[in-house]
């Protein structure tokens, strides 16, 4: 990033290529650009940087794209669900109050990592790290957006002097468009991991414009494949697996001689288990249908 915070921890800004994102900040566009409408935009000039706050809407709902353009023209961006933007707005107030209480910069009192205050926001499968930092160029608020399990990372750096102006701009947009970003309102379950022999299976819960889904990934050293299971069929999916588990448990529990070569089939064993017929018994007992035919038993 340019100006304040440039080169911080060796992370460079990402060029903005106009990629879209589902409302709520859940998924970057992966080749199929959704129908997206821009509802409002604000531009802020803070020191040598320009910040654009764009309220956008697609099939899933509304969200805010924050784009930073440095003095050298490089761009970086993060995406905020409307509800996350409201939470971020509230954090900006507390960060600004803390910044006001710091007094003049003192290099001797700065922590080794430069962090003066930190917070974290969680939305679906995305995390936002807010770090008020200090380096040789001044104090700034770095906002990093990541996805779980080491996915792509993006960030913007807001000069500390501009936090109140940025907060007020967010407040205006939220007053106009509200804080409801649509979709599932609760917290999605954390991902799970299962290792079997030399394979790893990952179970990740996500959400897109079609709803909530489970992605099951099979990973080996040089191989990866995945399936996606929509939430609406999880119960049926579970029932099918449970049925197969029951059948295999019964198969494993059968006596070993059922599977030995030369063993008599179950029907033959059942027949051999029947008691031998008494040749002196009345015919009626051997042929019940004749006992009710009206004819006398034959001796």
């Amino acid at each position: 990033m340019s100006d304040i915070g440039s080169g911080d921890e060796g992370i460079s800004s990402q060029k903005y290529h106009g990629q879209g994102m589902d409302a709520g900040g859940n998924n970057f566009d992966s080749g199929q650009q959704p129908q997206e409408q821009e509802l409002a935009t604000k531009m802020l000039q803070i020191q040598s940087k320009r910040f654009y706050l764009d309220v956008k809407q697609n099939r899933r709902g509304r969200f805010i794209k924050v784009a930073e353009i440095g003095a050298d023209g490089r761009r970086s961006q993060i995406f905020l669900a409307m509800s996350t933007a409201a939470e971020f707005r509230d954090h900006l107030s507390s960060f600004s109050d803390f910044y006001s209480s710091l007094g003049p910069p003192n290099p001797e009192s700065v922590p080794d990592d430069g962090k003066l205050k930190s917070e974290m926001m969680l939305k679906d499968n995305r995390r936002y790290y807010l770090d008020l930092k200090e380096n040789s160029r001044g104090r700034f608020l770095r906002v990093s957006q990541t996805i779980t399990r080491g996915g792509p990372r993006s960030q913007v750096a807001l000069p500390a002097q501009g936090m109140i102006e940025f907060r007020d701009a967010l407040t205006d947009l939220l007053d106009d468009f509200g804080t409801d970003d649509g979709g599932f309102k609760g917290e999605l379950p954390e991902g799970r991991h299962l290792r079997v022999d030399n394979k790893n299976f990952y179970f990740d819960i996500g959400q897109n414009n079609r709803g909530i889904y489970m992605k099951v990934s099979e990973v080996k050293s040089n191989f990866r494949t995945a399936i996606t299971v929509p939430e609406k069929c999880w119960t049926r999916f579970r029932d099918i697996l449970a049925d197969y588990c029951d059948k295999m448990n019964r198969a494993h529990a059968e006596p070993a001689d059922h599977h030995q070569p030369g063993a008599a089939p179950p029907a033959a064993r059942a027949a051999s288990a029947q008691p031998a017929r008494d040749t002196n018994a009345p015919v009626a007992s051997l042929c019940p249908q004749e006992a009710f035919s009206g004819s006398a038993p034959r001796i």
Side-chain angles (χ1 to χ4, degrees):
M1 285 175 289
S2 60
D3 200 29
I4 292 180
S6 61
D8 180 57
E9 297 184 4
I11 300 173
S12 60
S13 299
Q14 296 178 332
K15 287 284 187 179
Y16 171 61
H17 296 291
Q19 291 177 321
M21 190 179 196
D22 283 345
N26 291 326
N27 292 304
F28 286 102
D29 177 60
S30 57
Q32 294 184 349
Q33 186 78 2
Q35 294 297 322
E36 199 170 81
Q37 178 185 4
E38 185 172 296
L39 303 178
T41 186
K42 282 183 175 289
M43 192 276 284
L44 304 175
Q45 183 75 41
I46 302 176
Q47 294 185 354
S48 61
K49 296 183 178 181
R50 280 178 292 146
F51 292 89
Y52 290 89
L53 285 69
D54 300 324
V55 180
K56 292 179 172 287
Q57 178 172 298
N58 59 23
R59 287 176 296 175
R60 186 175 160 200
R62 293 174 178 172
F63 59 97
I64 294 179
K65 182 184 74 175
V66 178
E68 171 197 343
I69 304 178
D72 58 0
R74 289 194 298 174
R75 303 177 182 226
S76 56
Q77 63 186 2
I78 61 172
F79 296 85
L80 302 169
M82 302 302 286
S83 58
T84 307
E87 184 179 354
F88 180 42
R89 182 261 320 271
D90 296 339
H91 280 304
L92 283 173
S93 295
S94 62
F95 272 90
S96 180
D97 291 342
F98 178 80
Y99 166 69
S100 299
S101 68
L102 290 176
N106 182 4
E108 297 181 357
S109 63
V110 177
D112 293 338
D113 60 2
K115 294 181 180 179
L116 304 173
K117 176 179 171 63
S118 297
E119 294 288 349
M120 192 268 283
M121 303 185 301
L122 180 65
K123 174 65 176 180
D124 297 335
N125 65 334
R126 294 192 175 272
R127 288 183 170 88
Y128 299 84
Y129 297 94
L130 315 180
D131 298 306
L132 182 62
K133 305 192 70 173
E134 181 175 327
N135 61 17
S136 58
R137 298 183 179 182
R139 292 168 176 163
F140 60 96
L141 179 65
R142 188 185 66 184
V143 185
S144 302
Q145 174 188 343
T146 66
I147 65 173
T148 55
R149 292 202 302 108
R153 176 188 182 116
S154 57
Q155 62 185 34
V156 297
L158 173 64
Q161 297 92 327
M163 288 191 292
I164 291 298
E165 184 180 358
F166 198 96
R167 181 202 65 185
D168 292 344
L170 265 183
T171 299
D172 290 343
L173 293 174
L174 293 170
D175 286 345
D176 290 339
F177 297 98
T179 61
D180 184 8
D181 40 59
F184 180 68
K185 299 297 190 296
E187 182 176 335
L188 294 176
E190 288 288 334
R192 302 286 294 273
H193 168 241
L194 170 66
R195 182 174 179 84
V196 181
D197 299 328
N198 66 333
K199 293 183 179 181
N200 290 284
F201 294 92
Y202 295 94
F203 301 82
D204 296 300
I205 310 301
Q207 186 175 10
N208 58 23
N209 60 316
R210 295 184 179 181
I212 297 172
Y213 61 89
M214 176 192 299
K215 184 172 74 172
V216 183
S217 304
E218 175 190 349
V219 181
K220 293 197 291 187
S221 56
N222 58 350
F223 173 82
R224 180 185 183 97
T225 186
I227 62 170
T228 301
V229 184
E231 183 194 17
K232 62 184 178 183
C233 67
W234 286 0
T235 300
R236 180 59 180 151
F237 196 87
R238 177 202 63 192
D239 292 343
I240 292 173
L241 283 177
D243 183 56
Y244 279 123
C245 289
D246 291 341
K247 289 179 178 178
M248 292 307 300
N249 286 337
R250 289 195 296 269
H252 288 306
E254 289 180 356
D257 63 348
H258 284 197
H259 308 285
Q260 292 179 355
R269 291 198 301 271
S272 65
Q274 296 293 329
R277 290 180 177 177
D278 185 356
T279 56
N280 295 322
V283 176
S285 65
L286 301 178
C287 304
Q289 65 274 18
E290 292 189 9
F292 298 96
S293 64
S295 60
R298 289 174 292 180
I299 307 286

